[in-house]
Each structure stands twice: as C-alpha cells, then as structure tokens.
Amino acid sequence: MDTVLDIEHLSTHFNTEEGVVRAVDDVSLRVRQGEIVCIVGESGSGKSITAMSVMGLVEAPAGQVVGGSIAFRGEDLLKLGRNELRTVRGNEIAMIFQEPMTSLNPVLRIGEQLMEPLMEHRKMSKKAARKRAIELIGEVGISRAEQIADSYPHELSGGMLQRIMIAIAISCDPKLLIADEPTTALDVTIQAQILDMLRRFKEESGMSILLITHDLGVVAEMADYVVVMYAGKVVEEGEVVALFENPQHPYTQGLLKSKPIINQRQDELYSIPGQVPNPLELVPSCYFHDRCAHCMDICRTTEPALKETANRQKVACWLYEEANPHV
Amino acid sequence: MSTYITKRILYMIIILFAASFLIFCLYALTPGDFITGNIKLTPERKAELREIYGLNKPVVERYAIWMKNAFHGDFGYSLSQQKPVLTLFNQYIWNSFLLAIVSTFLTWLIAVVVGVIAAYKQYSWFDTIVMVALFAAMSIPSFFIGLFLIKIMAVDWKWLPPGGMLTTGSTATGFAYVKEVVHHMMLPVMVMTLLGVGSLTRYFRSNMIDVIKQDYIRTARAKGLKERKVLFTHALRNALLPAITLVGFELPALFGGSLIIEKIFNWPGIGQLYMQSFGLRDYPLLMGFTLFIAILTVIGTLVSDILYHVADPRVRL
Amino acid sequence: MSTIHGEGTAALPSPKPKPVYTSLWRQSFRRLIKNKLAVLGFVVVAFMFAACFIGPLFSPYTDNKINMAFMNKAPSLKHWLGTDALGRDVLTRVLQAGRISLTVGLASMVLSVFVGSLLGVIAGYYRGIADQIIMRLADLLLTIPSLPLLFILGALLSEWKVPTEYRMYIVMLMLSIVGWPSLARMVRGQMLSLREREYMQATVVLGLRDRRKLFNHLLPNLVPLLIVIATLNIGGAILYESVLSYFGLGVMAPTPTWGNMIDAANNMIDFQDHPWLWIPPGFSIFATVIAINIFGDGLRDVLDPKQKR
Amino acid sequence: MSEPKQPLLEVNGLKKYFPIKSGLFGRTTGNVKAVDDISFTIRQGETFGLVGESGSGKSTVGRTILRLTDKTDGKVKFKGVDLYDLPPQELRRLRPKMQLIFQDPYSSLNPRVRIGDAIGEALLDHGLAPREEIRDRVMEVLNACGLSSYHIDRFPHEFSGGQRQRVGIARALVLNPDLIIADEPVSALDVSIQAQIINLFRKMQDTQGLTYLFISHDLSVVEHLCSHIGVMYLGSMMETASRDELFRNPLHPYTRALLSAVPIPIPKLKRERIVLSGELPNPADPPSGCKFHTRCPFAVARCREEVPLFRNVGNDHSVACHLV
C-alpha cells in the first residue's frame, strides 16, 4: 500500500499567558492508501491539533508548528506556500468537524457552501457546480436535494448538517479525509448512519481516512490502524485487532478496561486514578507515570521512546524496554 | 409577524403619548415664556396675547388642545417667527438632513473598512493605533472639537469657512451654489463623522473578531477558499448582520446631535432653529422639535427590530 | 499485566496544592496590570484627579484675586497658561474647574449607577409588576431625547433662580435622571441572563434562601459589569456636564468648570486672540475622558469579556 | 427477590409543554410536547435510568420533577407528597432531600464562590448543622468524594472537569438526600474520568442508601449503573423494565435499534444491527399514532393511526408498541 500521509516528528506549540504548551510533541504517524487510521485520546492529548497541523489551520500567532514534517504523497506540506497549501486543502485533503451545527455559515445557503470548493478547485461554472452540488446532496442520503440546496443551515438537523459537511468534504474526491470527532455531537442512531456512510465512501473511492475520536467503540468499528495519544505524545500504536486484544501500554489497558460495555456487566469499573497532567508542568518523564500502577524510578525521569514490540505494534513504555534493568 | 407588529405599534403609541405629555409638562412648567420675556409689551398687551394663545388655561387642557391639533397636523404656531411650526420644520429640516446623510454615509464607510482591517490584524500595531484613535474620537466634547477646528482651519489657516451654509450675501446658483454648500459642509460633516465613527468602528471590530473565531470560518479555510473570500463572503456578512439594527437607532441620534453642531457651525438646520428658539422660550417650536425626536426614536426602535428579522435567515419568517 | 482495583480514585494524587487560592478578582487584576494601555489610562486619570484636587494648593494664584495689571496675558513662565480678562491665572482656574467637573462626573455616576442598578436588580430579580413599572418608566425616559431634556431642565434652574453654589448639585441630579434608564436596562438584562445560569438553578435545588441567592450568588457576578459601566459612565457624565455648562445651562460662573471656561470662545476676540482661555479646559476634558475610556475598556476586557461593544 | 420496597418517587401522567411563539415572538401557535404523559415509579434504593436521544425530553422530566420548571399536567409524588401541592416555603424545606447533579461541571458551579461555601451554604440555610461544624462536614464530604480537605478554600476554576463534577456531587451529598437526580453527569467527561465518577456514584449508593434517577444517552453507562431503565422517544416513554429484563429481552423496536447502534469496543465484532433511517421528527409537530412510526423498520398501517397503549406485558416490563 502507498503511504498517503507521513507525519514525522511533528511538534506544535501554543504560547499562552502562563507559558508554552507543547500540544503536539514529536508525533509521527503514517496513513496508507485506503486505510482508516484512528487517533484516540482524551481531551488535551493533542489529537485534534495534529489534524489541524496537517490542514495548516493551527491558530496563529498563538499556535505554531515548530518542527517535523508532514509529507502528503511525498510532498512536505509544511514547506508549501500559503497559496499552494490552499490548493491542497479541501481538494486533496478534506476535513469534517465535531460540531455540524456551527461548522456551516449560518447566512449562506447550503447549496452555495457546497458549490464553493467545486468552483475553487475544479474551476466549475456556477451552473455546473450547482448541478454537482445537488447530486452530492443526494449521494449523502438526503432526499429533496434541490430544496435542501436552497435552505439555510438552521433549517436542518445536526445529522443532516454533518451529511452536508461530508458532501462538501468529498466534493473534490480527496485522497485523504480527516474527520475530527465527526459523530461526537450526534445521537447514537445518527452516529451509526454517519459511520456507515464514511465507510461506504471509503470503499467506493479508495480514499484514506484519518479519524480522530475519544470513543473506543467508534475506533473498534472503523479503524484499520490505531494511534493512542496522551499529553501530546503517541504512547502506543498498532493494528486495531492486535491493539484491542493485546494492549501494551498501561494507559491503553486502563482506557479499554474503564469503558463500560453493553452486555458485559462488571460490578465495578476499572478506573485510571488521577487526571491528565497540566501541560505547563511537564518535565522529561513518561507523562503517564503518576497515574500508572507500574511506575518505576526511570519513568519519573526519562522519556520512553516508541519501540516496535510486535508486528506493526509500537509502544512507548519502559516496561517493554529490553535495556531496562528493572524488567 | 403581524400580531407582533401590531402589539409593538400599540405599545409605541402609548409610550409616545406618555412622552408627549411629559414633554408638554416640562415646557409648561418652565416659568416665563415668549411673552413674559418680551420687554416691549405692556402688561395689558401681554394678558391679551396670553388669552389669544391660550396660555392662561390649565396645563391638562392646554395639552389636550395641543394634542388635538397635532392630530390634525397642526403642531402649533411659532411665536417668535410668526409661522406654523410645521412650515418652519419643512424649511429647516432638509439642511439638517443633508448633514446627517453625508456624515452617516462617511461614518459607516470608515467604520466598516477600518473595523474589518483592525479585527483581521488584531493586536498588531495598526490595531492598537486605531483603537487609541477611536477612543480619542469618542472622548472629545463635540462643541469643543467644533470650536477648535474652526479656530485652526477657518480662522488661522483660512482653508474653510467658519460657519453658515452659504457665504453671507452670496447669490450663487447652479453648480456654484452646490460648490459653496459643499465647502461650508466640510467642517460640520467632519466633526459629525468623527463623533460617530468611534463607537461604530469598535462595534464592527469586535463583531468581526467574534466572527473570525467561529467554526464556519475554519470550515471555509479548510475548503481551501482564498483568504479574501473567507473574509468578505463568509466573515463580513455575519459581522454586518447585527449592525443592521443600528440603522434604526442612528436616526434620532443624528438629529439629536445636530443641536450642538449646527449651533457651533451656524448651520441653518433644525437644531440651530431649536437653539435660537430656546433663548426666546418659543415653546411650540421647542415642544415640536422634542416630540419629533421622540417619534424618531420610537420609530427607529421598531425599524431596527423589523430589519433584524428581515435580514437574518435564522430568525426570518 | 496486573490490575489495580478500581477504587484508585479516593485519594487523588492531586498536583501540589497551590500556595494561594486565586479568586477571579485577583486573576482579573493580574491581567489588568499586564494591559499597558489600561495602566496608562489609569495613571492619567489618577494624575488629573491629583492635579485638580492637590495642585491648586501649590499655586500662588489660588485666591481668584482680580489683578488688572495682568489682563489677558499669553502663556509665560510666570503664568504657564496665561491669564484671563480679570488677570487670573488660567492654569489655576483650569485645575479648580477640574475639581468641579470631576466631582460632578463622579457624583452623578454614583447616583445614576446606584439608582440604575437598584432598579435594574429589582426588575430583573423580582420580575412581575415591579419590572413592568420600572422598565416602562425607563422606556419613557429613553424616548425623550436627552439633550433637549437636559436643556429644559437647565433652563428651569435659571428661571427658578437657583443660587449658583447649589446648581452644581442639581446638575448632578439632572445627569443621573438622564443616565439611569439605560443603566437599569443593562443591569436588568444581566440579571435575567444570570438567573438562567445553571449555578443559579443549583441554588434553587439546594433550597437556599432568597437573600443568599441574591447577595452571595447573583450580585457578586453583577459587580464586574457594574464596575465597568460605572467607569465608562464617569466619562459620559463629564462630557454632558461640559456641554450644559458651555451653553450656560449647567454650573455657572463664578464657579469654574471646564465647560463654562470654554464659554470664553463665545466672545469673538477671546476666541480668535486668546485661545489659552478656552483650549486648555477643552484638552483637560479630552485627556480625562479618553483616559477613563481606555481604562474602562481594559477593565471590561478582564471583567466582562462578553459585553464587548 | 426481597419484598417490594416503598416507592420514593411516583411520576404520574407528567406533561410539560413549551409554547411555540409564532415566527418572531407573537402569539402561541402550538406546543413542543417535551414531556408528554410520562409515568414511572422509583422505589427506595433503586437506580432508575432514563435513556433517550437529544430531544427525547429526558432532561425536562428531571427538571419538572424538581419544579425547576412548572409542569403542564400530571402528578409528582415524593414520599407520598405531591410536590406541586406544596407552598414555596415547605417545598424549600423539602429540597435538601432531593438533589440534582448537572451535566456541565463548568456552568453549574458559581465561579465567584469558594467550593467550601458552595457545599456548606445549604447546610447553613436549612439549619442542618451548627455553624462551627460546617467546615468539618464539608471536609468530610470532600474526602468521601475523592477530593482533599485542602481544596476547601479554592475556587471552581482551579479544578479540572472531573474534580468539579466531584464538587457537584459533594454539594448534593452533604445534605443527606434521599433522591438524587443526575442529568447526564458523566457525558461531559473523558473516558478515564467517567469511570471514576461512575464508581463514585456506585460507592455513594452503597454507603448512603441513595435512590437515583439517572438521566443519560449512553446505554452502556446506564446498564452498568441502573437497576431499572426507561426508554424515551420524543417526549413519550417507549419501554420500561428492570435492567436484566430490558437487555435480555428488549421489546420495542426503538430500544432494539438503540442497543444495536451503540458502538462496542471489540473490533470486527459481527452483530445484527437495526439501522434507523431518517432523522428525529420535529418535536413541535410529532408524527401521528406511534411517534416512532416514521423511523420504525417494522411499522404497519395501524402504527400511523393509533397511539399504542403503554402496557405491562408481564415481569414488570411495560412497552408502548402495537407489535408486541
């Protein structure tokens, strides 16, 4: 399989009043063609900022990509000029967001918003763009497409708006779709529809999807490959079945155990103690050490590197470090 | 929609009645009137005139008469000018309107352009300078800046005429007339624009800053649209929308502000007429003017409401 | 892998306890002093107050004495801002006038904020008939244009021959009559929005007493807005006072205010040839009000970020 | 099975309609029937889970029970007393016995009140503890909720979301309530924090014998925590049963669809799925007959015309569906 997106050592920092937040800290990941890669993590893990960095949408001047490379089909996006990047955005890489209700412009009609990327990237005429826009509305499973094209966002439900967002995203046949928590704001029954649709489009067009979510259920349903992030770092990655069956990092293990599962009742849930560290107070260490049941001395002082442990499964944890005398 | 408007209009009428009564009482309360103040009249003549103008009747009765006449389009008779108030209004108001229209146009133009740029470059030095300049514009007493500019630009440098609408004794017609009026308008328009531009620009700037942070702007950028398009199609429309309501509020404010500006620049408008009549205690005129602004205020509020609902698709019918 | 059993939550290894518990007030203050422009504004306001209230004490020309030998002198080393037609030192007069102008601005702010917030709180908290009456009254007053209203009130003062030394107090009153309605409206709006906050619903569920709801929960959240409004209101009041006094309807000579000093400009000769008589008071107004506005805006940024306008 | 316990909360035919103002804001043209004739009973010590998607009216049920908004019709009995019959002062005195835990731990704490005061003030106002003991009581409850005594003088903004939710729970628990209504208490929290809070709910029930009305959209959380479950759709109750019964034998097509739509964190799991078509209908204009018929894969003509009765089908299992 070809690599579509190859992120190497990406670091994105934010300057805040209290100090520098290393939101994304030396993150590498790869998305191959036709593959769904999920980034899982809790709030503050840096998963969304990673996606924003790929799109070049990190809010300057506070946020800044400070290092690494983002190769999209062999070309480093970080080296592109503003205009060149713009021709990639919405064209070869498209993105959908968490809040469909606020992600569409309230004063423009649905049709206009769908036509924009077609006219921008495909140089379509207004008429052709409108025709294609109406087709697209049909393709994402909305009936009465003409009528919907002429309506405003507030007239549609959240689920419909997310379909429209998907229609906008796939309008230029992107090679990569980045979906940032696309179903978090939606009800479960609508979530199921949207996930089905994303999978179908992937199958039909062969595009790759980088799916960002906090929901392990969604990951299990969608992903081919999973990247687990914690406090701006990748702590574990691997193919979905292997990772769910044999999680190696204590954080991944805890996360999987702490989620209640339907029809698998437990008396008490496992829970990871404590909370995510303050991003301003991080010192070189395993950032998970103060919540970890296996914390060793070395974990408090030295950062573990991401090492391959099994076929395509990598983990950043001192427990698996062969050189580590404590194991 | 129609029930709402009916309700609003009804409330508006009640408020107007109350306001008119209050206005009437205020002026009626003031001891001394045009006749008392006129030293040329004998006491007998004064009493006679009072009788004629109904000034010796009780306040409520005089109010009733005033209102009754007002409904017939008769807002009273100016004692000092010996003309019906309405005629005088018609004679002066268009001059005021000219100033108002031109300065409003300039104010909005400057406010939108500067507000958008400042918002886009938030926290830059340009933005900081603009902000301080806007505060300055909001902090000058209108009469003082008027006097100051007359002193500098008209008296010292002799660039512009110090006041009036035409040069004294001018008989210019046609294009020459227009030119002369424009020349005389410059200073008052400058001052009126300066006074209005501060709050309006700040309003646009903060609207625009809010809008730029919205999710749909991020979407527009993610679509790969040109930055110009993101700003002017996606952001500006949303930022301008709430400003539409201001149109209604601008109306009364403009004529209200004309009192000082027209007085300072000796501009033959309705505000100057008011100030003149004020010295002479010409109550029918004063009441007429005050009521006129009150009516504009009420109508302006209503218009704002309606405009807002017409313009925003989210609340449109 | 072993599992620690799920109880791990009880004793949270919380981050080290911070030394001070920072209230929002302290936080706001820290952010305010980082805003250089706002600090500058505050310094200028403080300077104006200090100059006007303390300055004249150090002036050799305090006593309003008429000195015919020094009539209408241009600014010099001896008289920094020159002298007026009666030979009085203009700088000293500007500072003395500032006392009155600042006092009037401050006092009428206090009055209108007191009346406006009291009525606004009553209307917004108790709703019902009180709300109706207060807001209708506010609507009514807002319908009547404020300048003509102030003018006619000013004229009343003259007709009733109110002694000049009392006029200052009545001007304060007049300005608060014009000022309170919009204030009450703002406060009421804020109260209505605060009432709907979830933490206010929590006070209902907890069954707290009305007094506690109002004084411990609502008012502390209203005060920031009030501080901002009050600050900006002083500037507005100073401007209005100057207009009134300039037109001879506010505080009148011999009590000097910045507004009635600019009255000198109504005299053609003084206007053209003795600009030091009327330009300094104008600039004093300008400097004070702009400083207040900038400081008030800085306050708004830290105290009430949502109410930008 | 032990003998049936005392009912603590009885909700009978509860209705809450919100008027729709026409177009702009003129007259009332219709009603959003947020809660439309809901009945259920919660017995002492039970945890009743109220499940539904957005717009189902589940949160409104909780708020109407607590009289945070007025009901349109129906009865709410707490310990046999109809709450809507109580005069304000008596209601206020009863309030400590029924507490609410909010969804959003950020907006439910007053930013200008120290958490010690936020927790202790109700004790003071109801005279439940002498003034000098209040601080101790607050520290005690803070510790019980997994916070530390030294947190007592801090302000809400100094806490993380999970910690704030603990404060919210402590604020309710300090009053020794009989009933706690929890409105989506964990849905704003991260997974690892969710588990902590769910365990805390459990622990408190065990130690204090609490009764919960647990409102949530997350079936897996509800299954974990609740002994009885009610499923709502568009303001109506579709199905109620004990947890075991409901998960073993879901009868209503909506319940079944809901269950099958929850993503399960087991990759490549093959399971039968009922995918619902379409969107939630406009609650201001709900479908005729069975409200679910527009999305129901099994709907027949009768469902369009006739409102199904909510009836007990045995085993304390009630359902509103013609096909059962």
Side-chain angles (χ1 to χ4, degrees):
Chain A
M1 280 193 288
D2 292 343
T3 301
V4 174
L5 182 72
D6 191 355
I7 301 176
E8 293 284 349
H9 307 295
L10 177 72
S11 292
T12 303
H13 292 182
F14 281 82
N15 293 308
T16 67
E17 272 179 38
E18 291 97 45
V20 177
V21 172
R22 284 173 290 168
V24 177
D25 190 2
D26 193 14
V27 164
S28 301
L29 66 89
R30 201 163 292 181
V31 181
R32 292 157 207 249
Q33 202 202 321
E35 193 182 43
I36 300 183
V37 173
C38 279
I39 307 182
V40 215
E42 300 180 289
S43 42
S45 63
K47 54 190 194 303
S48 289
I49 306 295
T50 306
M52 290 299 178
S53 306
V54 175
M55 292 296 280
L57 288 177
V58 178
E59 298 253 340
Q64 216 103 50
V65 176
V66 294
S69 64
I70 302 172
F72 175 68
R73 304 172 90 200
E75 193 173 19
D76 189 352
L77 294 178
L78 294 178
K79 293 210 171 73
L80 292 184
R82 254 173 62 167
N83 257 315
E84 292 166 303
L85 183 61
R86 200 171 52 68
T87 55
V88 177
R89 274 207 303 246
N91 188 12
E92 291 178 274
I93 307 179
M95 185 160 181
I96 54 178
F97 302 96
Q98 177 173 350
E99 292 288 343
M101 296 299 224
T102 55
S103 292
L104 286 160
N105 194 325
V107 302
L108 298 181
R109 292 173 202 275
I110 299 288
E112 289 173 65
Q113 304 193 47
L114 250 165
M115 285 151 64
E116 277 174 342
L118 292 167
M119 288 156 67
E120 181 71 43
H121 301 300
R122 290 288 142 105
K123 310 292 175 222
M124 282 191 188
S125 68
K126 228 177 176 154
K127 218 170 146 196
R130 181 170 167 88
K131 192 164 157 269
R132 178 75 189 121
I134 289 169
E135 281 170 24
L136 279 165
I137 296 175
E139 279 173 36
V140 291
I142 300 176
S143 50
R144 300 177 297 129
E146 293 254 1
Q147 199 184 330
I148 296 295
D150 287 330
S151 45
Y152 287 97
H154 73 278
E155 295 167 305
L156 307 185
S157 68
M160 298 244 261
L161 290 177
Q162 198 59 299
R163 286 165 190 268
I164 298 292
M165 283 299 289
I166 293 174
I168 292 174
I170 62 165
S171 62
C172 295
D173 293 314
K175 297 287 174 293
L176 173 67
L177 174 69
I178 301 177
D180 186 0
E181 303 263 12
T183 56
T184 307
L186 306 176
D187 285 321
V188 271
T189 56
I190 307 295
Q191 166 170 285
Q193 297 171 356
I194 297 286
L195 293 180
D196 275 353
M197 194 164 67
L198 283 177
R199 236 181 336 231
R200 202 184 73 229
F201 282 131
K202 191 212 85 170
E203 297 303 331
E204 285 169 10
S205 70
M207 68 181 175
S208 314
I209 296 180
L210 181 62
L211 179 69
I212 289 145
T213 179
H214 70 282
D215 188 335
L216 293 161
V218 171
V219 177
E221 263 184 34
M222 298 290 289
D224 296 310
Y225 194 80
V226 186
V227 176
V228 184
M229 284 185 73
Y230 186 78
K233 292 223 160 253
V234 175
V235 293
E236 183 165 7
E237 58 176 271
E239 286 187 3
V240 65
V241 179
L243 190 118
F244 273 66
E245 275 172 6
N246 183 23
Q248 297 191 313
H249 198 284
Y251 175 65
T252 319
Q253 290 167 355
L255 214 53
L256 280 167
K257 271 187 288 181
S258 58
K259 167 123 179 130
I261 305 174
I262 276 194
N263 290 327
Q264 292 187 6
R265 215 169 300 147
Q266 301 152 275
D267 262 352
E268 180 148 28
L269 286 174
Y270 173 84
S271 70
I272 305 173
Q275 47 198 329
V276 178
N278 181 346
L280 292 164
E281 292 168 4
L282 294 177
V283 288
S285 63
C286 169
Y287 297 155
F288 189 62
H289 76 260
D290 59 354
R291 302 176 75 184
C292 183
H294 313 283
C295 181
M296 302 172 291
D297 287 341
I298 190 166
C299 304
R300 295 194 183 90
T301 54
T302 321
E303 209 173 281
L306 200 62
K307 289 268 165 67
E308 189 147 342
T309 56
N311 184 32
R312 278 194 85 192
Q313 191 164 352
K314 293 179 190 166
V315 63
C317 177
W318 287 115
L319 290 173
Y320 302 92
E321 203 74 43
E322 277 156 37
N324 177 14
H326 300 277
V327 176
Chain B
M1 178 81 184
S2 57
T3 18
Y4 170 69
I5 291 188
T6 321
K7 243 190 213 167
R8 286 299 310 260
I9 291 177
L10 222 69
Y11 180 60
M12 180 179 118
I13 290 171
I14 295 172
I15 282 285
L16 263 183
F17 260 111
S20 68
F21 186 65
L22 205 64
I23 291 168
F24 188 89
C25 289
L26 272 172
Y27 288 105
L29 258 174
T30 322
D33 49 44
F34 177 65
I35 298 162
T36 323
N38 196 332
I39 42 167
K40 281 185 274 178
L41 299 172
T42 58
E44 294 76 34
R45 180 64 186 148
K46 282 184 182 175
E48 203 180 335
L49 280 173
R50 285 228 173 74
E51 186 70 38
I52 294 171
Y53 293 116
L55 289 177
N56 49 359
K57 292 188 176 120
V59 174
V60 180
E61 202 184 325
R62 277 162 59 196
Y63 172 70
I65 294 168
W66 184 53
M67 277 323 273
K68 203 180 110 203
N69 291 336
F71 269 108
H72 294 104
D74 172 10
F75 283 86
Y77 196 76
S78 164
L79 302 172
S80 60
Q81 310 252 351
Q82 295 295 318
K83 278 181 191 164
V85 169
L86 221 53
T87 315
L88 280 169
F89 267 30
N90 196 30
Q91 191 180 326
Y92 285 93
I93 200 165
W94 301 110
N95 295 340
S96 299
F97 194 65
L98 180 66
L99 279 191
I101 267 300
V102 174
S103 60
T104 308
F105 175 75
L106 282 176
T107 309
W108 279 68
L109 186 74
I110 297 172
V112 171
V113 173
V114 176
V116 168
I117 297 175
Y120 190 59
K121 305 191 165 189
Q122 200 190 354
Y123 303 129
S124 67
W125 61 267
F126 174 81
D127 183 36
T128 311
I129 290 174
V130 166
M131 288 301 282
V132 173
L134 295 177
F135 277 123
M138 289 164 76
S139 312
I140 311 178
S142 50
F143 65 95
F144 175 70
I145 188 68
L147 292 170
F148 188 70
L149 288 179
I150 293 174
K151 163 85 176 135
I152 302 277
M153 297 184 126
V155 176
D156 291 354
W157 299 342
K158 310 223 184 309
W159 285 357
L160 292 167
M165 193 165 154
L166 292 168
T167 318
T168 329
S170 162
T171 50
T173 49
F175 183 70
Y177 174 82
V178 172
K179 211 176 129 190
E180 210 175 309
V181 171
V182 170
H183 201 207
H184 280 79
M185 262 172 71
M186 300 259 238
L187 271 180
V189 164
M190 209 189 289
V191 172
M192 282 176 91
T193 308
L194 195 67
L195 292 174
V197 85
S199 58
L200 198 65
T201 312
R202 281 170 48 73
Y203 180 77
F204 277 124
R205 177 181 171 273
S206 63
N207 269 359
M208 196 68 185
I209 286 173
D210 287 346
V211 168
I212 286 176
K213 285 185 199 138
Q214 298 297 312
D215 285 354
Y216 52 80
I217 296 300
R218 186 182 58 185
T219 308
R221 290 194 173 127
K223 284 199 275 194
L225 301 184
K226 295 195 178 76
E227 198 59 23
R228 191 162 35 88
K229 198 151 191 237
V230 172
L231 269 189
F232 289 97
T233 312
H234 285 263
L236 189 58
R237 272 204 215 186
N238 281 282
L240 277 177
L241 205 62
I244 286 178
T245 54
L246 294 182
V247 174
F249 296 116
E250 289 266 294
L251 257 152
L254 273 169
F255 286 102
S258 69
L259 289 186
I260 296 170
I261 304 298
E262 289 179 4
K263 168 92 168 94
I264 297 285
F265 289 100
N266 202 18
W267 182 265
I270 195 168
Q272 220 235 18
L273 180 67
Y274 179 91
M275 296 304 276
Q276 250 176 37
S277 328
F278 197 86
L280 299 168
R281 303 283 188 269
D282 188 352
Y283 293 122
L285 229 167
L286 299 180
M287 289 190 297
F289 178 82
T290 315
L291 190 65
F292 169 68
I293 306 270
I295 293 173
L296 280 186
T297 309
V298 172
I299 293 177
T301 317
L302 186 71
V303 167
S304 298
D305 252 21
I306 295 171
L307 274 182
Y308 178 63
H309 289 99
V310 170
D312 192 334
R314 280 163 295 188
V315 287
R316 198 185 285 165
L317 267 187
Chain C
M1 292 277 103
S2 66
T3 31
I4 43 165
H5 202 255
E7 176 47 6
T9 59
L12 276 176
S14 294
K16 299 143 251 163
K18 284 178 192 165
V20 252
Y21 308 123
T22 50
S23 70
L24 289 184
W25 291 112
R26 198 186 294 254
Q27 255 190 353
S28 304
F29 178 72
R30 273 190 211 147
R31 285 176 48 216
L32 181 66
I33 53 177
K34 275 190 195 162
N35 182 343
K36 289 184 209 103
L37 214 54
V39 173
L40 183 70
F42 180 77
V43 170
V44 171
V45 176
F47 173 79
M48 288 309 279
F49 268 88
C52 293
F53 284 89
I54 305 169
L57 303 181
F58 297 97
S59 160
Y61 311 107
T62 5
D63 47 358
N64 269 344
K65 206 196 284 163
I66 295 166
N67 187 344
M68 289 306 186
F70 283 97
M71 272 165 49
N72 290 330
K73 289 277 183 272
S76 62
L77 271 179
K78 211 171 157 206
H79 296 281
W80 293 353
L81 292 177
T83 59
D84 66 4
L86 300 174
R88 292 173 298 189
D89 179 59
V90 172
L91 176 60
T92 311
R93 288 211 16 112
V94 165
L95 295 181
Q96 285 171 332
R99 275 190 196 178
I100 310 292
S101 290
L102 291 175
T103 311
V104 170
L106 211 59
S108 71
M109 175 278 283
V110 169
L111 249 170
S112 51
V113 167
F114 178 76
V115 174
S117 54
L118 186 71
L119 293 180
V121 165
I122 291 174
Y125 188 70
Y126 292 104
R127 309 296 312 274
I129 189 82
D131 184 20
Q132 287 293 322
I133 294 174
I134 292 168
M135 288 334 283
R136 293 304 81 87
L137 194 62
D139 277 351
L140 178 60
L141 280 175
L142 284 172
T143 306
I144 300 176
S146 44
L147 265 184
L149 181 59
L150 285 175
F151 281 1
I152 189 73
L153 290 175
L156 269 175
L157 295 188
S158 303
E159 295 290 351
W160 285 339
K161 310 258 184 305
V162 174
T164 36
E165 59 268 34
Y166 293 124
R167 284 192 71 123
M168 165 179 163
Y169 303 104
I170 299 183
V171 168
M172 293 173 191
L173 254 168
M174 280 159 51
L175 292 177
S176 10
I177 290 175
V178 177
W180 77 263
S182 57
L183 235 145
R185 211 184 241 188
M186 246 187 279
V187 169
R188 173 179 175 269
Q190 179 79 354
M191 285 299 275
L192 291 186
S193 110
L194 285 176
R195 271 169 62 107
E196 297 305 313
R197 301 280 159 92
E198 227 164 41
Y199 57 77
M200 288 317 295
Q201 302 208 338
T203 66
V204 177
V205 175
L206 292 169
L208 300 186
R209 292 175 194 280
D210 263 13
R211 206 160 22 129
R212 187 183 298 276
K213 281 189 215 166
L214 188 60
F215 288 101
N216 294 30
H217 288 266
L218 278 174
L219 292 189
N221 285 290
L222 183 68
V223 169
L225 174 77
L226 281 185
I227 292 178
V228 174
I229 297 179
T231 311
L232 296 176
N233 199 288
I234 303 177
I238 291 177
L239 284 182
Y240 264 127
E241 184 276 327
S242 71
V243 171
L244 275 182
S245 301
Y246 169 73
F247 284 110
L249 296 165
V251 183
M252 294 208 298
T255 316
T257 74
W258 286 334
N260 67 28
M261 283 182 78
I262 303 177
D263 182 46
N266 283 338
N267 176 326
M268 234 16 229
I269 297 165
D270 284 342
F271 178 67
Q272 291 193 6
D273 301 335
H274 308 139
W276 61 85
L277 292 182
W278 58 274
I279 289 183
F283 271 98
S284 306
I285 299 174
F286 174 57
T288 311
V289 176
I290 192 175
I292 288 174
N293 279 343
I294 287 178
F295 176 63
D297 190 65
L299 273 179
R300 166 155 49 201
D301 273 349
V302 297
L303 289 177
D304 190 29
K306 269 175 225 131
Q307 293 266 332
K308 277 220 137 197
R309 182 151 283 193
Chain D
M1 275 300 214
S2 55
E3 61 194 291
K5 291 174 210 141
Q6 283 289 319
L8 183 73
L9 179 76
E10 295 163 86
V11 175
N12 214 322
L14 187 67
K15 289 181 186 168
K16 173 66 191 175
Y17 296 171
F18 292 103
I20 314 166
K21 309 286 185 185
S22 90
L24 308 187
F25 13 20
R27 73 218 127 127
T28 310
T29 49
N31 288 303
V32 174
K33 299 179 176 179
V35 178
D36 195 8
D37 201 358
I38 293 266
S39 305
F40 59 91
T41 302
I42 307 179
R43 294 171 197 284
Q44 199 89 49
E46 279 179 3
T47 302
F48 189 90
L50 201 53
V51 195
E53 297 180 288
S54 51
S56 64
K58 55 188 190 304
S59 294
T60 313
V61 171
R63 272 152 211 273
T64 318
I65 289 172
L66 289 174
R67 284 187 69 175
L68 279 175
T69 64
D70 264 330
K71 66 174 183 182
T72 305
D73 197 14
K75 280 197 164 18
V76 179
K77 281 191 182 168
F78 178 71
K79 292 177 157 179
V81 182
D82 193 328
L83 294 177
Y84 278 88
D85 287 344
L86 291 177
Q89 275 313 309
E90 277 179 52
L91 177 68
R92 195 180 77 80
R93 239 167 287 148
L94 198 60
R95 288 240 180 242
K97 291 289 150 205
M98 28 180 205
Q99 284 302 303
L100 178 66
I101 289 163
F102 294 86
Q103 168 174 3
D104 185 350
Y106 289 86
S107 59
S108 56
L109 293 173
N110 191 332
R112 296 188 188 273
V113 176
R114 289 175 198 273
I115 64 146
D117 295 334
I119 296 170
E121 62 187 358
L123 286 176
L124 202 62
D125 263 14
H126 289 286
L128 292 173
R131 189 176 279 273
E132 58 280 5
E133 271 176 35
I134 283 179
R135 219 175 144 82
D136 291 339
R137 288 278 295 275
V138 172
M139 288 195 184
E140 211 174 289
V141 76
L142 278 177
N143 288 326
C145 291
L147 296 164
S148 305
S149 312
Y150 62 74
H151 286 135
I152 193 165
D153 289 322
R154 293 201 180 171
F155 288 92
H157 64 91
E158 296 173 282
F159 292 89
S160 69
Q163 287 178 316
R164 288 182 203 214
Q165 202 56 305
R166 288 173 192 270
V167 174
I169 294 170
R171 180 172 67 182
L173 287 179
V174 79
L175 296 170
N176 265 325
D178 295 318
L179 174 70
I180 285 193
I181 298 182
D183 188 0
E184 301 263 14
V186 297
S187 51
L189 307 175
D190 275 323
V191 187
S192 69
I193 308 297
Q194 263 189 17
Q196 296 175 359
I197 300 295
I198 291 170
N199 285 342
L200 179 62
F201 269 99
R202 261 268 165 101
K203 187 183 108 187
M204 289 305 165
Q205 186 164 40
D206 292 346
T207 55
Q208 302 208 9
L210 291 168
T211 306
Y212 290 126
L213 171 57
F214 195 89
I215 298 165
S216 176
H217 71 281
D218 189 336
L219 272 166
S220 51
V221 171
V222 167
E223 186 198 11
H224 182 80
L225 209 56
C226 299
S227 57
H228 292 74
I229 294 168
V231 181
M232 282 183 75
Y233 183 77
L234 272 184
S236 297
M237 195 70 96
M238 292 287 148
E239 186 166 10
T240 58
S242 72
R243 166 183 58 184
D244 296 326
E245 172 71 19
L246 190 90
F247 278 84
R248 196 171 53 235
N249 183 25
L251 292 175
H252 200 286
Y254 178 62
T255 313
R256 279 151 66 190
L258 215 50
L259 278 170
S260 75
V262 178
I264 291 180
I266 302 168
K268 314 291 180 237
L269 178 78
K270 292 275 169 282
R271 55 183 174 138
E272 194 192 343
R273 182 172 255 186
I274 305 171
V275 176
L276 292 183
S277 57
E279 308 271 330
L280 194 76
N282 180 357
D285 182 23
S288 61
C290 173
K291 285 177 176 169
F292 184 58
H293 82 255
T294 51
R295 298 174 73 194
C296 182
F298 312 109
V300 295
R302 189 180 170 203
C303 302
R304 248 187 306 278
E305 288 141 21
E306 203 181 311
V307 180
L309 274 180
F310 188 66
R311 63 191 200 286
N312 196 329
V313 294
N315 214 356
D316 246 348
H317 192 152
S318 302
V319 64
C321 180
H322 291 305
L323 302 172
V324 177

